């Protein structure tokens, strides 16, 4: 029976192996990795899908912010990667992981990602408010998607560093 559990309960090496299998070993060159560099995933929003003791899917969510052109820092959550083992793709695991992360974050949570609008549109993600956003590396503007209470202002998406008190 499949088991949905916190991603933190899975060995990090298993997560890395799944990400390599799903996206290739050169995945670290992607712009999303630049945004997430130095961050830890948000535990309450990151999940693993385990079948018969094998990690077959995972989703990670990250603390990011939009540094707006008018000087504000707007906290958001970057969703992804959403990874499914190649032999289990097309079975609904990715859909279930997305639904869980969105539900855990809340329906109006400020979520963003880089992905295919045709796929992520079914979860309410769109590019209507991201036209003025920028990223630290190459990306296709139409693939910069958001949902929830995100700003419709120009700015740079980057890591949100939470400082300890």
């Amino acid at each position: 029976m499949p088991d949905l559990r916190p991603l933190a309960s899975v060995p990090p090496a298993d997560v890395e192996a799944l990400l390599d299998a799903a996206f290739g070993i050169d995945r670290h060159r992607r712009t999303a990795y630049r945004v997430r560099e130095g961050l830890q995933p948000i535990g309450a929003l990151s999940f693993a899908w385990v079948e018969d003791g094998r990690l077959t899917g995972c989703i990670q969510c990250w603390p990011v912010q939009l540094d707006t052109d008018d000087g504000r820092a707007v906290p958001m959550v970057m969703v992804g990667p959403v990874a499914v083992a190649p032999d289990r793709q097309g079975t609904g695991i990715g859909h279930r992981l997305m639904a869980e992360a969105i539900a855990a974050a809340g329906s109006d949570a400020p979520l963003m990602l880089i992905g295919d609008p045709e796929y992520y549109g079914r979860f309410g993600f769109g590019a209507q408010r991201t036209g003025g956003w920028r990223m630290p590396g190459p990306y296709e503007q139409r693939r910069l998607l958001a949902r929830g209470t995100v700003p419709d202002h120009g700015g740079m998406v980057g890591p949100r560093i939470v400082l300890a008190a």
Side-chain angles (χ1 to χ4, degrees):
M1 177 125 198
D3 179 26
L4 180 71
R5 61 178 75 161
L7 186 62
S9 70
V10 175
D14 291 356
V15 174
E16 289 300 309
L18 174 63
L19 293 171
D20 284 348
F23 300 112
I25 60 172
D26 64 340
R27 62 189 163 84
H28 295 278
R29 296 181 187 159
R30 295 181 181 186
T31 297
Y33 279 85
R34 292 183 190 179
V35 173
R36 301 186 304 246
E37 189 173 1
L39 299 176
Q40 293 297 313
I42 301 169
L45 304 179
S46 299
F47 299 98
W49 187 266
V50 178
E51 298 175 338
D52 297 323
R54 176 181 165 226
L55 178 65
T56 56
C58 70
I59 187 169
Q60 295 174 310
C61 294
W62 306 83
V64 299
Q65 67 189 33
L66 179 69
D67 292 317
T68 66
D69 293 338
D70 62 4
R72 293 178 295 128
V74 181
M76 299 186 300
V77 173
M78 183 178 210
V79 179
V82 181
V84 177
D87 66 322
R88 298 293 291 135
Q89 291 177 0
T91 63
I93 294 171
H95 190 277
R96 175 74 188 274
L97 290 166
M98 280 296 298
E100 285 293 327
I102 291 168
S107 62
D108 286 338
L111 305 178
M112 59 82 54
L113 56 79
I114 303 171
D116 294 323
E118 298 79 17
Y119 179 80
Y120 291 104
R122 71 184 78 184
F123 301 103
F125 285 88
Q128 298 84 350
R129 291 174 280 162
T130 64
W133 296 8
R134 299 179 304 280
M135 303 285 285
Y139 65 97
E140 294 177 59
Q141 193 69 40
R142 72 175 206 87
R143 294 172 48 88
L144 187 52
L145 309 174
R147 64 165 278 148
T149 55
V150 296
D152 188 5
H153 299 288
M156 176 67 80
V157 176
R160 178 171 24 118
I161 307 298
V162 179
L163 301 175

